[in-house]
Amino acid sequence: MLHIVACIKQVPDTKIIKMNPKTNTMDRASAPAILNPYDAHAVEEAVRLKTRYGGIVSVLTMGPPPAVKAIKKCIEIGADEGYMISDRAFAGADTLATSYALTKAIDKIAKIQPVDLIICGKMTIDGDTGQVGPGIARRLDMPPLTSVKKVVEINKEQGYAVVHRKLEDGYEVVQSTLPCLFSVEKEINEVPYSPMPNMIKAASYQPHIWSVSDLEDVDRTQLGLKGSPTIVSSVWAPQKPQGGSMLEGAAKEQVGKLLDIVMEKKELFQARGGV
Ligand SMILES: Cc1cc2nc3c(=O)[nH]c(=O)nc-3n(C[C@H](O)[C@H](O)[C@H](O)COP(=O)(O)OP(=O)(O)OC[C@H]3O[C@@H](n4cnc5c(N)ncnc54)[C@H](O)[C@@H]3O)c2cc1C
């Protein structure tokens, strides 16, 4: 029986979030919090592997109390258990401190049931670093398989997994020992609408919530802001490109207008000595 832990994060919906023009930071109150879309695919893949091989799926998040909603969403997708680590001691964590805290929680989950596989999203839509998954794998001394687009086989008895890893111009087939960690691409699966029984279970589900004192062998200097060597020196919103014009009319007409513009630019370029 496989025990799969999917790491998930609640994020602001960056499709509609507004930026504070004064501070150049995200105005988190301006957008609803959602389950990081890549993590929905991670949980869906974990649930599919559970269906294929038998087992249980646990989800884990580090976040503030409202992140319980993201765990409930994962129960709707089909996860069995949800764990959340939440404490002021974790606040201000960069990816190094985040991976440290999550690793300590995974150690505790593994005492309940040994972990065979950890699945993360490729990245989050608010932080975008893609570092947390490989960070966890490094700390747990297990192989990180990033950019996974297909799981070919998991063989717990013989202790290996085979996946397709996305490359720029194709994919490679990789075999790894278990336990290992996958970071998954969105194309790995489609997340369907949740079945009604899962939604009913999620509505009343209460995740396991742990504070820092519930975790074992924690070096507090590696947590939160204290354990975060990253310094964000400046943040800015990209400027929208100015100018440009809309080409109107039938396609043929638009192509004609476009060629006129290109020729005009070319003449201008040549008049300035360009070749
Ligand atoms: C100096 C500094 C201070 C910061 N302070 C804060 C702060 O106070 N509050 C805050 O929210 N962010 C803060 N951040 C951002 C914080 O670093 C990231 O939220 C966090 O480390 C995850 O990085 P990421 O979003 O790039 O994840 P990625 O590495 O892109 O995520 C990859 C995958 O890892 C997993 N994952 C990532 N984060 C979590 C998580 N929290 N729980 C479970 N799984 C996860 C998911 O599977 C995800 O798909 C701070 C960053 C810096 C540099």
Side-chain angles (χ1 to χ4, degrees), residues 7-9 39 62 92-94 98 121 123-124 127 129-132 230:
C7 294
I8 61 121
K9 184 184 175 192
D39 301 349
M62 179 180 92
D94 66 3
T98 300
M123 61 185 199
T124 61
T129 68
Q131 293 174 357
V132 170
T230 316

Side-chain angles (χ1 to χ4, degrees), residues 58-80:
S58 303
V59 296
L60 167 65
T61 194
M62 179 180 92
V68 164
K69 210 174 146 202
I71 292 184
K72 283 179 177 269
K73 179 70 199 163
C74 299
I75 301 290
E76 286 182 11
I77 296 173
D80 301 289

Side-chain angles (χ1 to χ4, degrees), residues 29-241:
S30 70
I34 58 168
L35 172 63
N36 179 43
Y38 286 94
D39 301 349
H41 293 280
V43 177
E44 173 65 20
E45 197 57 27
V47 171
R48 287 180 189 209
L49 292 173
K50 173 180 83 165
T51 310
R52 235 162 106 184
Y53 297 107
I56 53 168
V57 174
S58 303
V59 296
L60 167 65
T61 194
M62 179 180 92
V68 164
K69 210 174 146 202
I71 292 184
K72 283 179 177 269
K73 179 70 199 163
C74 299
I75 301 290
E76 286 182 11
I77 296 173
D80 301 289
E81 294 292 344
Y83 297 87
M84 177 159 104
I85 52 169
S86 194
D87 197 301
R88 290 204 65 79
F90 303 130
D94 66 3
T95 55
L96 194 71
T98 300
S99 63
Y100 178 73
L102 290 173
T103 303
K104 290 295 165 190
I106 293 168
D107 284 344
K108 185 163 169 132
I109 294 171
K111 286 200 173 144
I112 301 168
Q113 170 83 39
V115 177
D116 302 294
L117 178 65
I118 301 171
I119 309 189
C120 291
K122 178 189 177 181
M123 61 185 199
T124 61
I125 58 168
D126 64 339
D128 248 26
T129 68
Q131 293 174 357
V132 170
I136 295 170
R138 175 69 188 85
R139 289 180 183 284
L140 292 174
D141 201 18
M142 56 171 71
L145 303 182
T146 53
S147 305
V148 172
K149 68 192 249 338
K150 184 176 175 181
V151 180
V152 181
E153 188 188 355
I154 304 278
N155 191 322
K156 179 166 170 165
E157 286 65 42
Q158 293 183 33
Y160 69 84
V162 182
V163 301
H164 290 180
R165 282 194 67 239
K166 189 176 175 179
L167 303 175
E168 263 179 32
D169 51 358
Y171 67 88
E172 63 180 4
V173 183
V174 179
Q175 178 167 330
S176 161
T177 50
L178 287 176
C180 62
L181 180 144
F182 300 162
S183 299
V184 300
E185 299 281 335
K186 274 186 180 175
E187 68 201 68
I188 194 165
N189 56 44
E190 298 253 320
V191 184
Y193 285 111
S194 303
M196 188 56 85
N198 291 5
M199 292 174 83
I200 293 168
K201 179 181 171 188
S204 58
Y205 183 78
Q206 294 301 325
H208 310 261
I209 301 178
W210 294 331
S211 69
V212 67
S213 49
D214 293 316
L215 304 177
E216 285 173 22
D217 299 326
V218 174
D219 171 4
R220 285 179 182 248
T221 64
Q222 294 194 51
L223 295 176
L225 205 54
K226 250 194 251 167
S228 299
T230 316
I231 294 166
V232 180
S233 54
S234 72
V235 182
W236 65 95
Q239 294 295 315
K240 284 197 179 143

